[in-house]
Amino acid sequence: MHFTELTKMGKFVITSELGPPKGFHIEKALHEAELVWPHVHAINVTDNQSSVMRLSGLAMCKVLKDKNIEPVFQVTCRDRNRLALQSDILSAALFGIDNLLLLTGDHTTLGDHKDAKPVFDLDSVSLAYMVKHLEEGKDLAGNALDGEPPKFCKGAVVSPCAEPLEPQLFKMEKKIKAGIQFFQTQAVYEADKFEKFMKRVKEFGVPVYVGIVVLKSVGMARFMNENVAGINVPDNIIEELKKDKEKTKSGQTGIEISARLIKELKPLCQGVHLMPLGWDDKVPEILKLSGIIAEKG
Amino acid sequence: MLITRVKKKDAILSLCKGKTLLIACFGCKEVHFEEKEYQALKEDLKTSNLNISGEIQLDYLCNDDYTNKRFELHKKEIDEAETIIIFSCGVGVQTFAGLIPGKTVLSGCDTYVLPGFSGFTPSSHDCEQCGECMLGFTVGICPVTACSKGLLNGQCGGAKKGKCEVSKNKDCGWERIYNRMTVLKKDDLTLKKMIRVRNYNK
Ligand code: SF4
Ligand code: SF4
């Protein structure tokens, strides 16, 4: 069942995120997915995340699908032009992968192939518009597709704590116009800012699933504050991570912070999207501690 | 070498508000300007009830210093106009728009690239000759060159403290566009409503 339907039924949607391996041995990634799956509605598969080359997200989604795990196929515009994007999205339809998260993607210079050509033939808005075309039975150039057109559940991202917020809202409206049906957000650590954001976007009537990145160390929090757009980890959280080094190292502090944030943010939005960045084994405990269960079916 | 094509009337008319000043750059050896088509469009705009408050013909609009001096000369006409349409290559429009942050500046031409020798445009602005000039929608700042990804539909999620994700030394082009839009208090509905897909065949 699609998330948007779950949302319509009044269910709180829970998703997590998985990065494919650098290589073609997927056992570890699959094990992580199986660990998380009983606790979530779907698992996003990232697309060369942070411009670091990895196994294709489409292949990983297919593997999950074969194991009856519901994947969300993340698609960025960095590595493929409009022909390749349409091919891959049609291939996803063939495999029964029908949840998409459509993104612009990080610039190539941020990753591990800094000398690569950044494509950006399309961007998140025109990509959504392109998928809408496919759903109407034609490609972006207007040519008819053979047979029954595909049907997707289309998501995008938004950064609720970005400063300034206006350009993000501007783009969010454009995405909705291009057919986007749900939003997963950049990591949120500031409930007050998120509340303000939700007040602004309420009128759009599109479900928002709040992003949670599990904090692993003080260094990680500081790095994000310095370098990652739209993220600000407040001082009190950094202090909490500092206080008990062993506890932070074991992951317990990160778990507690995440669970607390989920509890606080849950009444404001329609779901939560966890980004454990390799700490997939911590997901069940975070969800248990925050008191939310993925009601399936 | 570049070539500019005068836009169609419909692409311009809806964006004009109030007294409108036309500025045409009869330019330089490197850019071919469609003079005849420009005159025809001007007549057409007049008969379409556009309130044309005046016309200035210049050359080398792309040169900051030079344009700045000419600017002083025509200050009164410029101040009085609500909308200014610039008929020049993309660099010329951006140079001029950069001098008057508080005014609506539209591009009257599309700039195309032609193979062969490329001219010298001593300017801090850049035009990739995309063939579908967007400056009229993006308050005189070129998204193709000012945004590291050349995004046409708005800011990506990568800007931090006004800087682009690619480098802390580079301003985010879309944030610049947004800031100028705020200064102009420009009703941003046109830009918000359009979904642009770049035509690389131009
Ligand atoms: S939008 Fe930019 S690249 Fe395209 S013609 Fe205008 S100034 Fe040149
Ligand atoms: S941060 Fe701004 S300039 Fe850089 S790629 Fe994103 S939108 Fe473009």
Side-chain angles (χ1 to χ4, degrees):
Chain A
M1 191 182 298
H2 291 151
F3 313 136
T4 40
E5 285 162 41
L6 288 169
T7 298
K8 269 186 212 136
M9 289 162 66
K11 287 186 180 163
F12 193 72
V13 170
I14 308 169
T15 55
S16 185
E17 178 187 275
L18 182 73
K22 198 170 184 83
F24 69 102
H25 305 286
I26 52 145
E27 295 73 18
K28 188 167 166 279
L30 194 57
H31 173 74
E32 284 167 1
E34 280 169 337
L35 216 74
V36 171
W37 172 236
H39 309 276
V40 299
H41 291 110
I43 299 179
N44 284 37
V45 177
T46 54
D47 177 12
N48 289 337
Q49 192 173 28
S50 309
S51 308
V52 172
M53 192 286 298
R54 287 166 180 271
L55 182 96
S56 123
L58 181 58
M60 190 75 220
C61 283
K62 167 83 168 96
V63 170
L64 295 187
K65 195 80 198 179
D66 288 346
K67 297 272 175 192
N68 286 319
I69 296 174
E70 185 72 2
V72 180
F73 179 31
Q74 294 197 182
V75 185
T76 73
C77 301
R78 177 194 50 241
D79 309 322
R80 284 161 287 189
N81 71 1
R82 59 192 86 174
L83 276 85
L85 287 166
Q86 289 177 99
S87 289
D88 277 2
I89 287 171
L90 289 176
S91 306
L94 167 68
F95 295 147
I97 298 159
D98 48 11
N99 302 311
L100 303 176
L101 190 78
L102 306 171
L103 312 129
T104 298
D106 292 329
H107 199 276
T108 42
T109 51
L110 269 57
D112 68 348
H113 287 64
K114 296 189 195 305
D115 42 4
K117 179 178 186 191
V119 179
F120 303 112
D121 182 22
L122 302 181
D123 56 35
S124 51
V125 174
S126 45
L127 179 63
Y129 175 76
M130 181 197 86
V131 177
K132 200 163 89 177
H133 270 251
L134 295 177
E135 288 176 320
E136 285 161 7
K138 47 187 197 302
D139 66 18
L140 193 59
N143 307 304
L145 301 180
D146 295 334
E148 183 76 13
K151 189 86 201 100
F152 297 103
C153 183
K154 302 174 299 256
V157 293
V158 65
S159 212
C161 301
E163 278 173 357
L165 183 60
E166 293 302 327
Q168 286 289 315
L169 294 174
F170 177 88
K171 185 101 176 243
M172 189 177 179
E173 267 194 83
K174 276 191 126 174
K175 288 178 180 179
I176 295 168
K177 195 172 162 274
I180 290 299
Q181 297 153 296
F182 70 88
F183 285 89
Q184 290 176 332
T185 80
Q186 173 64 292
V188 171
Y189 295 99
E190 301 155 290
D192 50 336
K193 271 197 198 164
F194 186 68
E195 191 173 357
K196 276 192 200 133
F197 165 81
M198 286 307 295
K199 275 199 187 127
R200 295 286 302 275
V201 305
K202 205 170 164 211
E203 54 172 322
F204 300 158
V206 177
V208 173
Y209 310 137
V210 68
I212 301 285
V213 167
V214 189
L215 289 168
K216 295 180 179 177
S217 64
V218 177
M220 173 186 174
R222 289 212 173 112
F223 177 84
M224 291 200 299
N225 282 354
E226 209 35 57
N227 299 297
V228 183
I231 293 190
N232 180 39
V233 185
D235 290 342
N236 63 327
I237 293 187
I238 293 185
E239 285 308 314
E240 195 175 338
L241 288 163
K242 257 193 213 159
K243 218 167 51 200
D244 190 335
K245 283 203 179 75
E246 279 313 304
K247 192 175 159 195
T248 298
K249 212 170 152 202
S250 72
Q252 194 54 35
T253 318
I255 292 173
E256 286 172 14
I257 293 170
S258 303
R260 208 174 54 225
L261 280 168
I262 295 173
K263 269 194 201 159
E264 211 175 338
L265 302 173
K266 185 177 179 252
L268 303 171
C269 59
Q270 291 72 43
V272 61
H273 175 58
L274 284 155
M275 293 170 269
L277 306 175
W279 274 13
D280 299 75
D281 58 332
K282 313 277 189 285
V283 169
E285 207 185 327
I286 293 170
L287 292 172
K288 195 171 149 214
L289 206 62
S290 62
I292 54 169
I293 315 164
E295 289 177 53
K296 296 192 190 181
Chain B
M1 177 128 179
L2 317 178
I3 178 166
T4 57
R5 291 234 166 99
V6 174
K7 281 184 184 282
K8 298 270 171 295
K9 185 182 81 183
D10 294 343
I12 297 178
L13 210 54
S14 63
L15 296 171
C16 297
K17 268 197 211 119
K19 282 189 184 169
T20 301
L21 177 67
L22 310 184
I23 298 181
C25 176
F26 279 55
C28 56
K29 288 195 291 293
E30 291 81 21
V31 180
H32 171 73
F33 183 64
E34 292 184 324
E35 222 173 305
K36 254 205 317 227
E37 286 78 359
Y38 167 66
Q39 299 298 353
L41 176 79
K42 203 167 69 184
E43 290 314 312
D44 209 4
L45 286 172
K46 270 187 200 154
T47 52
S48 309
N49 288 329
L50 180 68
N51 182 358
I52 299 179
S53 59
E55 185 196 5
I56 304 172
Q57 295 187 359
L58 298 167
D59 45 22
Y60 291 101
L61 197 61
C62 55
N63 185 313
D64 275 279
D65 292 340
Y66 186 61
T67 300
N68 217 344
K69 288 202 184 97
R70 303 294 289 264
F71 186 85
E72 287 305 315
L73 225 61
H74 297 285
K75 196 167 181 311
K76 192 161 169 278
E77 291 152 272
I78 293 165
D79 281 349
E80 274 170 15
E82 196 173 324
T83 305
I84 297 175
I85 314 178
I86 313 264
F87 295 86
S88 78
C89 75
V91 177
V93 182
Q94 291 180 71
T95 305
F96 198 89
L99 294 174
I100 32 169
K103 238 180 239 294
T104 301
V105 176
L106 307 178
S107 50
C109 297
D110 290 319
T111 307
Y112 294 74
V113 66
L114 272 189
F117 180 70
S118 175
F120 300 98
T121 41
S123 168
S124 46
H125 300 283
D126 208 359
C127 166
E128 219 178 76
Q129 301 104 40
C130 77
E132 284 177 300
C133 194
M134 265 189 89
L135 292 172
F137 301 111
T138 53
V139 289
I141 297 167
C142 165
V144 179
T145 53
C147 166
S148 302
K149 298 174 188 166
L151 303 178
L152 302 185
N153 292 302
Q155 191 184 41
C156 79
K160 187 146 183 137
K161 298 184 184 120
K163 300 294 176 189
C164 171
E165 69 176 29
V166 168
S167 162
K168 281 181 186 156
N169 298 318
K170 188 188 180 304
D171 290 336
C172 167
W174 272 100
E175 208 153 311
R176 281 175 55 210
I177 293 173
Y178 202 85
N179 290 342
R180 180 156 184 186
M181 240 157 56
T182 315
V183 170
L184 285 171
K185 297 194 184 48
K186 212 174 136 123
D187 162 5
D188 54 10
L189 282 183
T190 339
L191 193 58
K192 201 183 266 180
K193 273 190 198 139
M194 71 167 116
I195 296 174
R196 292 281 282 223
V197 180
R198 184 158 165 197
N199 181 352
Y200 280 92
N201 198 21
K202 283 209 168 179

PDB file of all heavy atoms in Angstrom, chain A residues 35 52 57 69 94 115 127 169 185 187 204 224 230 240 255 258 272:
ATOM      1  N   LEU A  35      16.614  -6.379   9.220  1.00  0.00           N
ATOM      2  CA  LEU A  35      16.560  -5.995  10.633  1.00  0.00           C
ATOM      3  C   LEU A  35      15.532  -4.883  10.857  1.00  0.00           C
ATOM      4  O   LEU A  35      14.798  -4.859  11.844  1.00  0.00           O
ATOM      5  CB  LEU A  35      17.956  -5.464  11.004  1.00  0.00           C
ATOM      6  CG  LEU A  35      18.521  -5.740  12.360  1.00  0.00           C
ATOM      7  CD1 LEU A  35      18.941  -7.199  12.438  1.00  0.00           C
ATOM      8  CD2 LEU A  35      19.761  -4.851  12.565  1.00  0.00           C
ATOM      9  N   VAL A  52      28.856   9.743  -3.836  1.00  0.00           N
ATOM     10  CA  VAL A  52      29.835   8.664  -3.671  1.00  0.00           C
ATOM     11  C   VAL A  52      29.317   7.448  -4.444  1.00  0.00           C
ATOM     12  O   VAL A  52      28.198   6.997  -4.226  1.00  0.00           O
ATOM     13  CB  VAL A  52      30.027   8.320  -2.178  1.00  0.00           C
ATOM     14  CG1 VAL A  52      30.893   7.071  -2.012  1.00  0.00           C
ATOM     15  CG2 VAL A  52      30.652   9.505  -1.448  1.00  0.00           C
ATOM     16  N   GLY A  57      20.829   1.966  -7.142  1.00  0.00           N
ATOM     17  CA  GLY A  57      19.663   1.929  -6.266  1.00  0.00           C
ATOM     18  C   GLY A  57      18.564   1.046  -6.838  1.00  0.00           C
ATOM     19  O   GLY A  57      17.839   0.382  -6.100  1.00  0.00           O
ATOM     20  N   ILE A  69      10.151  -6.760   0.792  1.00  0.00           N
ATOM     21  CA  ILE A  69      10.382  -5.526   1.551  1.00  0.00           C
ATOM     22  C   ILE A  69      10.028  -4.372   0.620  1.00  0.00           C
ATOM     23  O   ILE A  69      10.417  -4.365  -0.542  1.00  0.00           O
ATOM     24  CB  ILE A  69      11.862  -5.422   1.991  1.00  0.00           C
ATOM     25  CG1 ILE A  69      12.191  -6.568   2.951  1.00  0.00           C
ATOM     26  CG2 ILE A  69      12.148  -4.060   2.621  1.00  0.00           C
ATOM     27  CD1 ILE A  69      13.658  -6.653   3.341  1.00  0.00           C
ATOM     28  N   LEU A  94       8.536  -1.992 -14.124  1.00  0.00           N
ATOM     29  CA  LEU A  94       8.567  -3.410 -14.506  1.00  0.00           C
ATOM     30  C   LEU A  94       8.765  -4.304 -13.284  1.00  0.00           C
ATOM     31  O   LEU A  94       8.162  -5.358 -13.155  1.00  0.00           O
ATOM     32  CB  LEU A  94       9.694  -3.636 -15.526  1.00  0.00           C
ATOM     33  CG  LEU A  94      10.094  -5.089 -15.809  1.00  0.00           C
ATOM     34  CD1 LEU A  94       8.968  -5.822 -16.542  1.00  0.00           C
ATOM     35  CD2 LEU A  94      11.378  -5.158 -16.622  1.00  0.00           C
ATOM     36  N   ASP A 115      36.038  14.680 -10.369  1.00  0.00           N
ATOM     37  CA  ASP A 115      36.309  15.103 -11.743  1.00  0.00           C
ATOM     38  C   ASP A 115      35.226  14.641 -12.734  1.00  0.00           C
ATOM     39  O   ASP A 115      35.384  14.795 -13.932  1.00  0.00           O
ATOM     40  CB  ASP A 115      37.695  14.595 -12.186  1.00  0.00           C
ATOM     41  CG  ASP A 115      37.963  13.159 -11.737  1.00  0.00           C
ATOM     42  OD1 ASP A 115      37.044  12.553 -11.146  1.00  0.00           O
ATOM     43  OD2 ASP A 115      39.068  12.646 -11.977  1.00  0.00           O
ATOM     44  N   LEU A 127      11.943  16.681 -13.086  1.00  0.00           N
ATOM     45  CA  LEU A 127      11.934  15.215 -12.961  1.00  0.00           C
ATOM     46  C   LEU A 127      10.530  14.726 -12.562  1.00  0.00           C
ATOM     47  O   LEU A 127       9.999  13.771 -13.132  1.00  0.00           O
ATOM     48  CB  LEU A 127      12.974  14.788 -11.922  1.00  0.00           C
ATOM     49  CG  LEU A 127      13.127  13.296 -11.619  1.00  0.00           C
ATOM     50  CD1 LEU A 127      13.581  12.528 -12.841  1.00  0.00           C
ATOM     51  CD2 LEU A 127      14.125  13.076 -10.475  1.00  0.00           C
ATOM     52  N   LEU A 169      10.193  26.958   0.364  1.00  0.00           N
ATOM     53  CA  LEU A 169       8.734  26.884   0.226  1.00  0.00           C
ATOM     54  C   LEU A 169       8.317  27.109  -1.219  1.00  0.00           C
ATOM     55  O   LEU A 169       7.411  26.460  -1.744  1.00  0.00           O
ATOM     56  CB  LEU A 169       8.061  27.923   1.135  1.00  0.00           C
ATOM     57  CG  LEU A 169       8.235  27.708   2.631  1.00  0.00           C
ATOM     58  CD1 LEU A 169       7.647  28.882   3.402  1.00  0.00           C
ATOM     59  CD2 LEU A 169       7.586  26.410   3.085  1.00  0.00           C
ATOM     60  N   THR A 185      11.690  14.985   4.883  1.00  0.00           N
ATOM     61  CA  THR A 185      12.448  16.220   5.112  1.00  0.00           C
ATOM     62  C   THR A 185      13.916  15.942   5.441  1.00  0.00           C
ATOM     63  O   THR A 185      14.296  14.839   5.824  1.00  0.00           O
ATOM     64  CB  THR A 185      11.852  17.073   6.259  1.00  0.00           C
ATOM     65  OG1 THR A 185      12.280  16.544   7.523  1.00  0.00           O
ATOM     66  CG2 THR A 185      10.334  17.140   6.199  1.00  0.00           C
ATOM     67  N   ALA A 187      17.064  16.398   7.953  1.00  0.00           N
ATOM     68  CA  ALA A 187      17.062  16.145   9.395  1.00  0.00           C
ATOM     69  C   ALA A 187      16.612  17.383  10.182  1.00  0.00           C
ATOM     70  O   ALA A 187      17.011  18.495   9.884  1.00  0.00           O
ATOM     71  CB  ALA A 187      18.458  15.745   9.849  1.00  0.00           C
ATOM     72  N   PHE A 204      -0.945  23.467   1.910  1.00  0.00           N
ATOM     73  CA  PHE A 204      -0.638  22.678   0.709  1.00  0.00           C
ATOM     74  C   PHE A 204      -1.343  21.314   0.737  1.00  0.00           C
ATOM     75  O   PHE A 204      -1.532  20.683  -0.302  1.00  0.00           O
ATOM     76  CB  PHE A 204       0.876  22.433   0.558  1.00  0.00           C
ATOM     77  CG  PHE A 204       1.709  23.682   0.432  1.00  0.00           C
ATOM     78  CD1 PHE A 204       3.065  23.658   0.739  1.00  0.00           C
ATOM     79  CD2 PHE A 204       1.151  24.872  -0.016  1.00  0.00           C
ATOM     80  CE1 PHE A 204       3.843  24.806   0.620  1.00  0.00           C
ATOM     81  CE2 PHE A 204       1.917  26.024  -0.135  1.00  0.00           C
ATOM     82  CZ  PHE A 204       3.270  25.988   0.188  1.00  0.00           C
ATOM     83  N   MET A 224      28.065  18.682  10.758  1.00  0.00           N
ATOM     84  CA  MET A 224      26.811  19.009  10.064  1.00  0.00           C
ATOM     85  C   MET A 224      26.482  20.495  10.221  1.00  0.00           C
ATOM     86  O   MET A 224      26.055  21.143   9.273  1.00  0.00           O
ATOM     87  CB  MET A 224      25.666  18.139  10.586  1.00  0.00           C
ATOM     88  CG  MET A 224      25.818  16.678  10.193  1.00  0.00           C
ATOM     89  SD  MET A 224      24.272  15.744  10.265  1.00  0.00           S
ATOM     90  CE  MET A 224      23.852  15.880  11.980  1.00  0.00           C
ATOM     91  N   GLY A 230      20.748  23.333   5.851  1.00  0.00           N
ATOM     92  CA  GLY A 230      19.457  23.133   6.507  1.00  0.00           C
ATOM     93  C   GLY A 230      19.506  22.373   7.812  1.00  0.00           C
ATOM     94  O   GLY A 230      18.480  22.002   8.351  1.00  0.00           O
ATOM     95  N   GLU A 240      24.646  17.245  25.494  1.00  0.00           N
ATOM     96  CA  GLU A 240      24.174  15.915  25.882  1.00  0.00           C
ATOM     97  C   GLU A 240      25.105  14.827  25.322  1.00  0.00           C
ATOM     98  O   GLU A 240      25.416  13.836  25.994  1.00  0.00           O
ATOM     99  CB  GLU A 240      22.751  15.730  25.358  1.00  0.00           C
ATOM    100  CG  GLU A 240      22.001  14.574  25.973  1.00  0.00           C
ATOM    101  CD  GLU A 240      20.551  14.529  25.480  1.00  0.00           C
ATOM    102  OE1 GLU A 240      20.029  15.574  25.029  1.00  0.00           O
ATOM    103  OE2 GLU A 240      19.953  13.440  25.536  1.00  0.00           O
ATOM    104  N   ILE A 255      20.315   7.277  20.296  1.00  0.00           N
ATOM    105  CA  ILE A 255      18.997   6.624  20.326  1.00  0.00           C
ATOM    106  C   ILE A 255      18.020   7.462  21.139  1.00  0.00           C
ATOM    107  O   ILE A 255      16.898   7.747  20.701  1.00  0.00           O
ATOM    108  CB  ILE A 255      19.122   5.195  20.927  1.00  0.00           C
ATOM    109  CG1 ILE A 255      19.908   4.288  19.969  1.00  0.00           C
ATOM    110  CG2 ILE A 255      17.749   4.610  21.248  1.00  0.00           C
ATOM    111  CD1 ILE A 255      20.233   2.906  20.530  1.00  0.00           C
ATOM    112  N   SER A 258      17.090  10.758  19.387  1.00  0.00           N
ATOM    113  CA  SER A 258      16.186  10.514  18.250  1.00  0.00           C
ATOM    114  C   SER A 258      14.775  10.208  18.726  1.00  0.00           C
ATOM    115  O   SER A 258      13.795  10.747  18.195  1.00  0.00           O
ATOM    116  CB  SER A 258      16.695   9.340  17.412  1.00  0.00           C
ATOM    117  OG  SER A 258      17.997   9.581  16.966  1.00  0.00           O
ATOM    118  N   VAL A 272       7.486   9.739  10.014  1.00  0.00           N
ATOM    119  CA  VAL A 272       8.889   9.984  10.312  1.00  0.00           C
ATOM    120  C   VAL A 272       9.754   9.195   9.327  1.00  0.00           C
ATOM    121  O   VAL A 272       9.413   8.076   8.927  1.00  0.00           O
ATOM    122  CB  VAL A 272       9.219   9.628  11.785  1.00  0.00           C
ATOM    123  CG1 VAL A 272       8.955   8.160  12.090  1.00  0.00           C
ATOM    124  CG2 VAL A 272      10.673   9.941  12.128  1.00  0.00           C
TER     125      VAL A 272
END
